[in-house]
């Protein structure tokens, strides 16, 4: 059972928009920055979003992040087949004194 | 360009010690800006934080693994290492090393985003 809760899967058609939620508590998302990672099949995770809503250099502006209270959301617009991957949220949990991740969400572009 | 590369045995026997090394290029493990961490991912499962090392000598470990984990640094080789003792089949996973941004509030500092990852190395625990 992951500390952060994500939907197991989401799907949408090419060109459409999708959102992925990440729910936590006051000891993690509520008081610390959230980051999002994309893991393409058979590869290492890659940082997509940090500090709730910032994109590293080279990351498309089709990816966006937001946070409200104890939940965070990743948004992806203009879906492409190359976006099919597992997406993970992560943050620091001040009570556990540990980095925690969501269970991951598998994105399917129909 | 910063790169991290994991190395170590791909097969470890039950009850023995898993040892992995991460070689860093393009940055220094003595940097005050980052933590150097290990994460693992069992086949078909989610990411699990193992812990980090900070240049000051401080470490932090996942409470569920704390009794079996040691992360250390060799500054002369610009490497950091993971040792996990008394392994079982449950420790079978892809092990990743990563650079982690350090964030400091007015109260404390903690690991923020994992901005650079190694490619990962599969470790199987089996006799």
């Amino acid at each position: 059972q992951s500390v952060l809760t994500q939907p197991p899967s989401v799907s949408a058609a090419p060109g459409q928009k999708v959102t992925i939620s990440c729910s936590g508590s006051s000891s993690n998302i509520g008081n610390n920055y959230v980051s999002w990672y994309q893991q393409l099949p058979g590869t290492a995770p890659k940082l997509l979003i940090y500090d709730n809503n910032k994109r590293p250099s080279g990351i498309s502006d089709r990816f966006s992040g937001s946070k409200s209270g104890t939940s965070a959301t990743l948004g992806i617009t203009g879906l492409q087949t190359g976006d099919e991957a597992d997406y993970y949220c992560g943050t620091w949990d001040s009570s556990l004194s540990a980095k925690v991740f969501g269970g991951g969400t598998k994105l399917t572009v129909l | 360009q910063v790169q991290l590369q994991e190395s170590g045995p791909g097969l470890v026997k039950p009850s023995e010690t898993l040892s992995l090394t991460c070689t860093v290029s393009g940055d220094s493990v003595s940097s005050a800006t980052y933590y150097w961490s290990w994460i693992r991912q069992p086949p078909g499962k989610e990411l699990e934080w193992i812990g980090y090392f900070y240049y000051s000598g401080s470490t932090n470990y996942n409470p569920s693994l704390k009794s079996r984990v040691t992360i250390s640094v060799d500054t002369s080789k610009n490497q950091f290492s993971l040792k996990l003792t008394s392994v079982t089949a449950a420790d079978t996973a892809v092990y990743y090393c990563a650079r982690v941004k350090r964030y400091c509030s007015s109260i404390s500092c903690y690991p923020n985003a994992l901005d650079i990852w190694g490619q990962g190395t599969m470790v199987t625990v089996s006799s």
Side-chain angles (χ1 to χ4, degrees):
Chain A
Q1 190 80 5
S2 302
V3 174
L4 305 180
T5 301
Q6 297 182 234
S9 63
V10 295
S11 61
Q16 296 300 304
K17 174 182 178 178
V18 72
T19 60
I20 298 172
S21 62
C22 177
S23 178
S25 68
S26 58
S27 66
N28 43 65
I29 292 178
N31 283 285
N32 298 307
Y33 284 123
V34 176
S35 49
W36 289 90
Y37 306 88
Q38 177 193 58
Q39 186 174 34
L40 296 168
T43 69
K46 180 176 77 172
L47 179 64
L48 275 185
I49 298 289
Y50 68 98
D51 291 1
N52 304 331
N53 55 18
K54 298 177 182 175
R55 288 186 307 277
S57 174
I59 298 300
S60 170
D61 60 4
R62 296 188 301 108
F63 297 93
S64 63
S66 64
K67 187 181 97 167
S68 178
T70 58
S71 293
T73 301
L74 173 70
I76 311 173
T77 60
L79 278 172
Q80 303 171 359
T81 55
D83 296 330
E84 287 199 334
D86 292 324
Y87 292 84
Y88 293 91
C89 57
T91 188
W92 180 252
D93 191 298
S94 304
S95 295
L96 297 174
S97 289
K99 191 77 171 170
V100 292
F101 296 98
T105 298
K106 183 176 183 61
L107 169 64
T108 301
V109 181
L110 302 168
Chain B
Q1 181 184 3
V2 179
Q3 292 184 316
L4 281 67
Q5 178 69 57
E6 305 89 349
S7 60
L11 181 65
V12 182
K13 290 182 169 55
S15 79
E16 295 190 345
T17 296
L18 180 160
S19 296
L20 296 174
T21 296
C22 182
T23 301
V24 179
S25 58
D27 198 354
S28 170
V29 295
S30 298
S31 169
T33 308
Y34 298 99
Y35 297 102
W36 303 95
S37 69
W38 289 94
I39 304 95
R40 70 181 183 179
Q41 185 174 35
K45 296 189 177 181
E46 64 263 33
L47 301 169
E48 180 182 27
W49 171 260
I50 297 174
Y52 72 69
F53 183 96
Y54 185 55
Y55 90 105
S56 64
S58 67
T59 55
N60 170 277
Y61 302 130
N62 187 321
S64 68
L65 299 171
K66 189 173 185 177
S67 62
R68 299 193 290 131
V69 172
T70 302
I71 298 176
S72 59
V73 163
D74 185 336
T75 55
S76 67
K77 296 181 179 178
N78 212 31
Q79 297 174 333
F80 62 104
S81 299
L82 168 70
K83 289 191 186 301
L84 181 66
T85 62
S86 304
V87 297
T88 69
D91 295 309
T92 294
V94 176
Y95 285 76
Y96 297 100
C97 58
R99 188 181 78 170
V100 190
K101 291 186 176 185
R102 187 169 186 254
Y103 171 76
C104 292
S105 67
S106 58
I107 301 173
S108 64
C109 299
Y110 65 81
N112 196 1
L114 289 74
D115 66 345
I116 306 291
W117 295 67
Q119 65 183 27
T121 187
M122 180 69 199
V123 178
T124 301
V125 178
S126 175
S127 55

Coordinates of all heavy atoms in Angstrom, one line a residue, chain B residues 17-94:
Chain B
T17 N 25.0 -10.5 1.2 CA 24.9 -9.1 1.1 C 24.9 -8.6 -0.3 O 25.8 -9.0 -1.1 CB 26.1 -8.4 1.9 OG1 25.9 -8.7 3.3 CG2 26.1 -6.9 1.7
L18 N 24.0 -7.7 -0.6 CA 23.9 -7.1 -2.0 C 24.8 -5.9 -1.9 O 24.6 -5.0 -1.0 CB 22.5 -6.8 -2.3 CG 22.0 -6.1 -3.6 CD1 20.6 -6.3 -3.8 CD2 22.4 -4.6 -3.6
S19 N 25.7 -5.7 -2.9 CA 26.6 -4.6 -3.0 C 26.6 -4.0 -4.3 O 26.8 -4.7 -5.3 CB 28.0 -5.0 -2.6 OG 28.1 -5.4 -1.3
L20 N 26.2 -2.7 -4.4 CA 26.2 -2.0 -5.7 C 26.9 -0.7 -5.6 O 27.0 -0.1 -4.5 CB 24.7 -1.7 -6.1 CG 23.8 -2.9 -6.4 CD1 22.4 -2.4 -6.7 CD2 24.3 -3.7 -7.6
T21 N 27.5 -0.2 -6.7 CA 28.2 1.0 -6.8 C 27.6 1.9 -7.9 O 27.2 1.4 -8.9 CB 29.7 0.8 -7.1 OG1 30.3 0.1 -6.0 CG2 30.4 2.1 -7.2
C22 N 27.6 3.2 -7.6 CA 27.1 4.2 -8.6 C 28.2 5.1 -8.9 O 28.8 5.8 -8.0 CB 25.9 4.9 -8.1 SG 25.2 6.2 -9.2
T23 N 28.7 5.2 -10.1 CA 29.7 6.1 -10.6 C 29.2 7.3 -11.2 O 28.3 7.3 -12.1 CB 30.7 5.4 -11.6 OG1 31.2 4.2 -11.0 CG2 31.8 6.3 -12.0
V24 N 29.6 8.5 -10.6 CA 29.1 9.8 -11.0 C 30.1 10.5 -12.0 O 31.2 10.6 -11.6 CB 28.8 10.6 -9.8 CG1 28.2 12.0 -10.3 CG2 27.8 10.0 -8.9
S25 N 29.6 11.0 -13.1 CA 30.4 11.8 -14.0 C 29.7 13.1 -14.2 O 28.4 13.1 -14.3 CB 30.7 11.1 -15.3 OG 29.5 10.7 -15.9
G26 N 30.4 14.2 -14.3 CA 29.8 15.5 -14.6 C 29.4 16.3 -13.4 O 28.9 17.4 -13.5
D27 N 29.5 15.7 -12.2 CA 29.2 16.3 -11.0 C 30.1 15.7 -9.9 O 30.8 14.7 -10.1 CB 27.7 16.2 -10.6 CG 27.3 17.2 -9.6 OD1 28.1 18.0 -9.0 OD2 26.0 17.3 -9.3
S28 N 30.0 16.2 -8.7 CA 30.8 15.7 -7.6 C 29.9 15.2 -6.4 O 28.9 15.9 -6.1 CB 31.7 16.8 -7.0 OG 32.3 16.4 -5.8
V29 N 30.2 14.0 -5.9 CA 29.5 13.5 -4.8 C 29.7 14.4 -3.5 O 29.1 14.2 -2.5 CB 29.8 12.0 -4.5 CG1 29.4 11.1 -5.6 CG2 31.3 11.8 -4.2
S30 N 30.7 15.3 -3.6 CA 30.9 16.2 -2.5 C 30.1 17.5 -2.6 O 30.3 18.4 -1.8 CB 32.4 16.5 -2.5 OG 33.2 15.4 -2.2
S31 N 29.2 17.6 -3.6 CA 28.4 18.7 -3.8 C 27.5 19.0 -2.6 O 26.9 18.0 -2.1 CB 27.6 18.6 -5.1 OG 26.6 19.6 -5.2
A32 N 27.4 20.2 -2.2 CA 26.5 20.6 -1.1 C 25.0 20.7 -1.6 O 24.1 20.9 -0.7 CB 26.9 21.9 -0.4
T33 N 24.8 20.7 -2.9 CA 23.5 21.0 -3.5 C 22.6 19.8 -3.6 O 21.4 19.9 -3.7 CB 23.7 21.6 -4.9 OG1 24.6 22.7 -4.8 CG2 22.4 22.1 -5.4
Y34 N 23.3 18.6 -3.5 CA 22.5 17.4 -3.8 C 22.7 16.3 -2.8 O 23.7 16.2 -2.1 CB 22.9 16.8 -5.2 CG 22.6 17.7 -6.3 CD1 23.6 18.5 -6.9 CD2 21.4 17.9 -6.9 CE1 23.4 19.4 -7.9 CE2 21.1 18.7 -7.9 CZ 22.1 19.5 -8.4 OH 21.8 20.4 -9.5
Y35 N 21.7 15.4 -2.7 CA 21.8 14.2 -2.0 C 22.1 13.1 -3.1 O 21.7 13.3 -4.2 CB 20.5 13.8 -1.3 CG 20.1 14.7 -0.2 CD1 19.1 15.7 -0.4 CD2 20.7 14.7 1.1 CE1 18.7 16.5 0.6 CE2 20.3 15.5 2.1 CZ 19.3 16.4 1.9 OH 18.9 17.3 2.9
W36 N 22.7 12.0 -2.7 CA 23.0 10.9 -3.6 C 22.2 9.7 -3.1 O 22.4 9.3 -1.9 CB 24.5 10.7 -3.7 CG 25.2 11.9 -4.2 CD1 25.7 12.9 -3.4 CD2 25.2 12.4 -5.5 NE1 26.2 13.9 -4.2 CE2 25.9 13.6 -5.5 CE3 24.8 11.9 -6.8 CZ2 26.1 14.4 -6.7 CZ3 25.1 12.6 -7.9 CH2 25.7 13.8 -7.9
S37 N 21.3 9.1 -3.9 CA 20.4 8.2 -3.4 C 20.3 6.9 -4.1 O 20.7 6.8 -5.3 CB 19.0 8.9 -3.3 OG 18.5 9.1 -4.6
W38 N 19.6 5.9 -3.5 CA 19.3 4.7 -4.1 C 17.8 4.5 -4.0 O 17.1 4.8 -3.0 CB 20.0 3.5 -3.4 CG 21.5 3.5 -3.7 CD1 22.5 4.0 -2.9 CD2 22.1 2.9 -4.8 NE1 23.7 3.8 -3.5 CE2 23.5 3.1 -4.7 CE3 21.7 2.2 -6.0 CZ2 24.5 2.6 -5.6 CZ3 22.6 1.7 -6.9 CH2 24.0 1.9 -6.7
I39 N 17.2 3.9 -5.1 CA 15.8 3.6 -5.2 C 15.7 2.2 -5.9 O 16.6 1.9 -6.7 CB 15.1 4.6 -6.1 CG1 15.3 6.1 -5.6 CG2 13.6 4.3 -6.2 CD1 16.4 6.8 -6.3
R40 N 14.7 1.5 -5.6 CA 14.6 0.2 -6.2 C 13.1 0.0 -6.7 O 12.2 0.7 -6.3 CB 15.0 -1.0 -5.3 CG 14.0 -1.2 -4.1 CD 14.6 -2.4 -3.3 NE 13.7 -2.7 -2.2 CZ 13.9 -3.7 -1.3 NH1 15.0 -4.4 -1.4 NH2 13.0 -3.9 -0.4
Q41 N 13.0 -1.0 -7.6 CA 11.7 -1.2 -8.2 C 11.6 -2.7 -8.5 O 12.1 -3.2 -9.5 CB 11.5 -0.4 -9.5 CG 10.1 -0.6 -10.1 CD 9.9 0.4 -11.3 OE1 10.9 0.6 -12.1 NE2 8.7 0.9 -11.5
P42 N 10.8 -3.5 -7.7 CA 10.6 -4.9 -7.9 C 9.9 -5.1 -9.3 O 9.1 -4.2 -9.7 CB 9.7 -5.3 -6.8 CG 10.0 -4.3 -5.7 CD 10.2 -3.0 -6.4
P43 N 10.1 -6.2 -9.9 CA 9.4 -6.4 -11.2 C 7.9 -6.1 -11.2 O 7.2 -6.7 -10.4 CB 9.7 -7.9 -11.5 CG 11.0 -8.1 -10.8 CD 10.9 -7.3 -9.5
G44 N 7.5 -5.2 -12.1 CA 6.0 -4.9 -12.2 C 5.5 -4.1 -11.1 O 4.2 -4.0 -11.0
K45 N 6.3 -3.6 -10.2 CA 5.8 -2.9 -9.0 C 6.3 -1.4 -9.0 O 7.0 -1.0 -9.9 CB 6.2 -3.6 -7.7 CG 5.6 -5.0 -7.6 CD 5.9 -5.5 -6.2 CE 5.2 -6.9 -6.1 NZ 5.4 -7.5 -4.7
E46 N 5.9 -0.7 -7.9 CA 6.2 0.7 -7.9 C 7.6 1.0 -7.4 O 8.3 0.1 -6.9 CB 5.2 1.5 -7.0 CG 5.2 1.1 -5.6 CD 4.1 0.1 -5.3 OE1 3.8 -0.8 -6.1 OE2 3.6 0.1 -4.1
L47 N 8.0 2.2 -7.4 CA 9.3 2.7 -6.9 C 9.4 2.7 -5.4 O 8.4 3.0 -4.7 CB 9.6 4.1 -7.4 CG 9.6 4.3 -8.9 CD1 9.6 5.8 -9.3 CD2 10.8 3.6 -9.5
E48 N 10.5 2.3 -4.8 CA 10.7 2.3 -3.4 C 12.0 3.0 -3.0 O 13.1 2.7 -3.5 CB 10.7 0.9 -2.8 CG 10.9 0.8 -1.3 CD 11.0 -0.6 -0.8 OE1 11.4 -1.5 -1.5 OE2 10.6 -0.8 0.4
W49 N 11.9 4.0 -2.2 CA 13.0 4.8 -1.7 C 13.9 3.9 -0.8 O 13.3 3.3 0.1 CB 12.5 6.0 -1.0 CG 13.5 6.8 -0.2 CD1 13.7 6.8 1.1 CD2 14.4 7.8 -0.8 NE1 14.7 7.7 1.4 CE2 15.1 8.4 0.3 CE3 14.6 8.3 -2.1 CZ2 16.0 9.4 0.1 CZ3 15.5 9.3 -2.3 CH2 16.2 9.8 -1.2
I50 N 15.2 3.9 -1.0 CA 16.1 3.1 -0.1 C 16.8 4.1 0.9 O 16.8 3.8 2.1 CB 17.1 2.3 -0.9 CG1 16.4 1.3 -1.8 CG2 18.1 1.6 0.0 CD1 17.4 0.5 -2.8
G51 N 17.3 5.2 0.3 CA 18.0 6.1 1.2 C 18.9 7.0 0.5 O 19.0 7.0 -0.8
Y52 N 19.6 7.9 1.2 CA 20.5 8.8 0.6 C 21.8 9.0 1.5 O 21.8 8.7 2.7 CB 19.9 10.2 0.3 CG 19.6 11.1 1.5 CD1 20.6 11.7 2.3 CD2 18.2 11.3 1.9 CE1 20.3 12.5 3.4 CE2 18.0 12.2 3.0 CZ 19.0 12.7 3.7 OH 18.7 13.5 4.8
F53 N 22.8 9.6 0.8 CA 24.0 10.0 1.5 C 24.2 11.5 1.2 O 24.0 11.9 0.0 CB 25.2 9.2 1.0 CG 26.5 9.6 1.7 CD1 26.9 8.8 2.8 CD2 27.3 10.7 1.3 CE1 28.1 9.2 3.5 CE2 28.4 11.0 2.0 CZ 28.9 10.2 3.1
Y54 N 24.6 12.3 2.2 CA 24.9 13.7 1.9 C 26.4 13.9 2.2 O 26.9 13.3 3.1 CB 24.0 14.6 2.8 CG 24.1 16.1 2.5 CD1 24.0 16.6 1.2 CD2 24.4 17.0 3.5 CE1 24.1 17.9 1.0 CE2 24.5 18.3 3.3 CZ 24.4 18.8 2.0 OH 24.5 20.1 1.8
Y55 N 27.0 14.9 1.5 CA 28.5 15.0 1.6 C 29.0 15.3 3.0 O 30.1 15.0 3.3 CB 28.9 16.2 0.7 CG 28.9 17.5 1.3 CD1 30.1 18.2 1.7 CD2 27.7 18.2 1.6 CE1 30.1 19.4 2.3 CE2 27.7 19.4 2.2 CZ 28.9 20.0 2.6 OH 28.9 21.2 3.2
S56 N 28.1 15.8 3.9 CA 28.5 16.1 5.3 C 28.7 14.8 6.1 O 29.2 14.9 7.2 CB 27.4 17.0 5.9 OG 26.2 16.3 6.0
G57 N 28.2 13.7 5.5 CA 28.3 12.4 6.2 C 27.0 11.9 6.7 O 26.9 10.8 7.1
S58 N 26.0 12.8 6.6 CA 24.6 12.4 7.1 C 24.0 11.4 6.1 O 24.2 11.4 4.9 CB 23.7 13.6 7.3 OG 23.4 14.2 6.1
T59 N 23.2 10.5 6.6 CA 22.5 9.5 5.8 C 21.0 9.5 6.3 O 20.7 9.9 7.4 CB 23.1 8.1 5.9 OG1 23.1 7.8 7.3 CG2 24.5 8.0 5.3
N60 N 20.2 8.9 5.4 CA 18.8 8.7 5.7 C 18.4 7.4 5.0 O 18.7 7.2 3.8 CB 18.0 9.9 5.2 CG 16.5 9.6 5.3 OD1 15.9 9.0 4.4 ND2 15.8 10.1 6.4
Y61 N 17.7 6.6 5.8 CA 17.3 5.3 5.2 C 15.8 5.1 5.4 O 15.2 5.5 6.4 CB 18.0 4.1 5.8 CG 19.5 4.2 5.7 CD1 20.3 4.1 6.9 CD2 20.1 4.5 4.5 CE1 21.7 4.2 6.8 CE2 21.5 4.5 4.4 CZ 22.3 4.4 5.6 OH 23.7 4.5 5.4
N62 N 15.2 4.4 4.4 CA 13.8 4.0 4.5 C 13.6 3.2 5.8 O 14.4 2.2 6.1 CB 13.4 3.1 3.3 CG 11.9 2.8 3.2 OD1 11.3 2.5 4.3 ND2 11.4 2.7 2.0
P63 N 12.7 3.6 6.6 CA 12.5 2.9 7.9 C 12.3 1.3 7.8 O 12.8 0.6 8.6 CB 11.2 3.5 8.5 CG 11.2 4.9 7.9 CD 11.8 4.7 6.5
S64 N 11.7 0.9 6.7 CA 11.5 -0.5 6.4 C 12.7 -1.3 6.1 O 12.7 -2.5 6.2 CB 10.4 -0.7 5.3 OG 11.0 -0.3 4.1
L65 N 13.8 -0.6 5.7 CA 15.0 -1.2 5.4 C 16.2 -0.8 6.3 O 17.3 -1.4 6.1 CB 15.4 -0.8 3.9 CG 14.4 -1.3 2.8 CD1 14.8 -0.6 1.5 CD2 14.3 -2.8 2.7
K66 N 16.0 0.1 7.2 CA 17.0 0.7 7.9 C 18.0 -0.2 8.6 O 19.2 0.0 8.6 CB 16.4 1.7 9.0 CG 17.4 2.6 9.7 CD 16.6 3.6 10.5 CE 17.6 4.6 11.2 NZ 16.9 5.6 12.0
S67 N 17.5 -1.3 9.1 CA 18.4 -2.2 9.9 C 19.3 -3.0 8.9 O 20.3 -3.6 9.4 CB 17.5 -3.2 10.6 OG 16.8 -4.0 9.7
R68 N 19.1 -2.9 7.6 CA 19.9 -3.8 6.7 C 20.7 -2.9 5.7 O 21.5 -3.5 4.9 CB 19.0 -4.7 5.9 CG 18.2 -5.7 6.8 CD 17.6 -6.8 5.9 NE 16.5 -6.4 5.1 CZ 16.5 -6.6 3.8 NH1 17.4 -7.3 3.2 NH2 15.4 -6.2 3.1
V69 N 20.5 -1.6 5.7 CA 21.1 -0.8 4.6 C 22.2 0.1 5.1 O 22.2 0.7 6.2 CB 20.0 0.2 4.0 CG1 20.6 1.2 3.1 CG2 18.9 -0.7 3.3
T70 N 23.2 0.2 4.2 CA 24.3 1.2 4.4 C 24.6 1.9 3.1 O 24.8 1.2 2.1 CB 25.6 0.6 5.0 OG1 25.3 -0.1 6.2 CG2 26.6 1.7 5.2
I71 N 24.6 3.2 3.1 CA 25.0 3.9 1.9 C 26.2 4.7 2.2 O 26.2 5.4 3.2 CB 23.9 4.9 1.4 CG1 22.7 4.1 1.0 CG2 24.4 5.7 0.2 CD1 21.5 4.9 0.5
S72 N 27.3 4.6 1.4 CA 28.5 5.3 1.7 C 29.1 5.9 0.4 O 28.6 5.6 -0.7 CB 29.5 4.3 2.3 OG 29.8 3.2 1.4
V73 N 30.1 6.8 0.6 CA 30.7 7.5 -0.5 C 32.2 7.3 -0.6 O 32.8 7.3 0.5 CB 30.3 9.0 -0.4 CG1 31.2 9.8 -1.3 CG2 28.8 9.2 -0.8
D74 N 32.7 7.2 -1.8 CA 34.1 7.2 -2.0 C 34.4 8.5 -2.9 O 34.3 8.5 -4.1 CB 34.6 6.0 -2.7 CG 36.1 5.9 -2.9 OD1 36.8 6.9 -2.9 OD2 36.6 4.7 -3.0
T75 N 34.9 9.5 -2.2 CA 35.1 10.8 -2.9 C 36.2 10.7 -3.9 O 36.2 11.4 -4.9 CB 35.3 12.0 -1.9 OG1 36.4 11.6 -1.1 CG2 34.1 12.2 -1.1
S76 N 37.2 9.9 -3.6 CA 38.4 9.8 -4.5 C 38.0 9.2 -5.8 O 38.6 9.5 -6.9 CB 39.5 8.9 -3.8 OG 39.0 7.6 -3.7
K77 N 37.0 8.3 -5.8 CA 36.5 7.7 -7.1 C 35.2 8.4 -7.6 O 34.7 8.0 -8.7 CB 36.3 6.2 -6.9 CG 37.5 5.4 -6.5 CD 37.2 4.0 -6.4 CE 38.5 3.2 -6.1 NZ 38.2 1.7 -5.9
N78 N 34.7 9.3 -6.9 CA 33.4 10.0 -7.2 C 32.3 8.9 -7.4 O 31.6 8.9 -8.3 CB 33.5 10.8 -8.5 CG 32.6 12.0 -8.4 OD1 32.3 12.6 -7.3 ND2 32.1 12.5 -9.5
Q79 N 32.2 8.1 -6.4 CA 31.2 7.0 -6.4 C 30.5 6.9 -5.0 O 31.0 7.4 -4.0 CB 31.9 5.6 -6.6 CG 32.6 5.4 -7.9 CD 33.4 4.1 -7.9 OE1 33.8 3.6 -6.9 NE2 33.6 3.6 -9.1
F80 N 29.3 6.4 -5.1 CA 28.6 6.1 -3.8 C 28.1 4.7 -3.9 O 27.8 4.2 -5.0 CB 27.6 7.1 -3.4 CG 26.4 7.3 -4.4 CD1 25.2 6.7 -4.1 CD2 26.6 8.0 -5.5 CE1 24.1 6.9 -4.9 CE2 25.5 8.2 -6.4 CZ 24.3 7.7 -6.1
S81 N 27.9 4.0 -2.8 CA 27.6 2.6 -2.8 C 26.5 2.2 -1.9 O 26.1 3.0 -1.0 CB 28.9 1.8 -2.3 OG 30.0 2.0 -3.2
L82 N 25.9 1.1 -2.2 CA 24.8 0.5 -1.4 C 25.1 -0.8 -0.9 O 25.7 -1.7 -1.7 CB 23.5 0.4 -2.3 CG 22.4 -0.4 -1.7 CD1 21.7 0.4 -0.6 CD2 21.3 -0.6 -2.8
K83 N 24.9 -1.1 0.3 CA 25.0 -2.4 0.9 C 23.7 -2.8 1.6 O 23.2 -2.0 2.4 CB 26.2 -2.6 1.8 CG 27.6 -2.5 1.2 CD 28.7 -2.9 2.1 CE 30.0 -2.7 1.5 NZ 30.2 -3.4 0.3
L84 N 23.2 -3.9 1.2 CA 21.9 -4.4 1.8 C 22.2 -5.9 2.2 O 22.5 -6.8 1.5 CB 20.8 -4.4 0.7 CG 19.4 -4.9 1.2 CD1 18.9 -3.9 2.2 CD2 18.5 -5.0 0.0
T85 N 22.1 -6.1 3.6 CA 22.4 -7.3 4.1 C 21.2 -8.3 4.2 O 20.1 -7.9 4.1 CB 23.0 -7.2 5.6 OG1 22.0 -6.6 6.4 CG2 24.3 -6.3 5.5
S86 N 21.5 -9.5 4.5 CA 20.5 -10.6 4.7 C 19.4 -10.5 3.7 O 18.2 -10.5 4.0 CB 19.9 -10.4 6.1 OG 21.0 -10.4 7.1
V87 N 19.7 -10.6 2.4 CA 18.7 -10.4 1.4 C 17.9 -11.7 1.2 O 18.3 -12.8 1.6 CB 19.4 -10.1 0.0 CG1 20.1 -8.8 0.1 CG2 20.3 -11.2 -0.4
T88 N 16.6 -11.4 0.8 CA 15.7 -12.5 0.5 C 15.2 -12.3 -0.9 O 15.5 -11.2 -1.6 CB 14.5 -12.5 1.4 OG1 13.7 -11.4 1.2 CG2 15.0 -12.6 2.9
A89 N 14.3 -13.2 -1.4 CA 13.7 -13.0 -2.7 C 13.0 -11.7 -2.9 O 12.8 -11.1 -4.0 CB 12.8 -14.2 -3.0
A90 N 12.5 -11.2 -1.8 CA 11.7 -9.9 -1.8 C 12.6 -8.7 -2.1 O 12.1 -7.6 -2.5 CB 11.1 -9.6 -0.4
D91 N 13.9 -8.9 -2.1 CA 14.8 -7.8 -2.5 C 15.2 -7.9 -4.0 O 15.9 -7.0 -4.4 CB 16.1 -7.9 -1.7 CG 15.9 -7.7 -0.2 OD1 15.2 -6.7 0.2 OD2 16.3 -8.5 0.7
T92 N 14.6 -8.8 -4.7 CA 14.8 -8.8 -6.1 C 14.2 -7.6 -6.8 O 13.0 -7.4 -6.6 CB 14.2 -10.1 -6.7 OG1 14.9 -11.3 -6.3 CG2 14.2 -10.1 -8.3
A93 N 14.9 -6.9 -7.5 CA 14.4 -5.6 -8.1 C 15.4 -5.0 -9.0 O 16.6 -5.4 -9.1 CB 14.2 -4.6 -6.9
V94 N 15.0 -4.0 -9.8 CA 15.9 -3.1 -10.5 C 16.3 -2.0 -9.5 O 15.5 -1.4 -8.9 CB 15.3 -2.5 -11.7 CG1 16.2 -1.5 -12.4 CG2 14.9 -3.5 -12.7

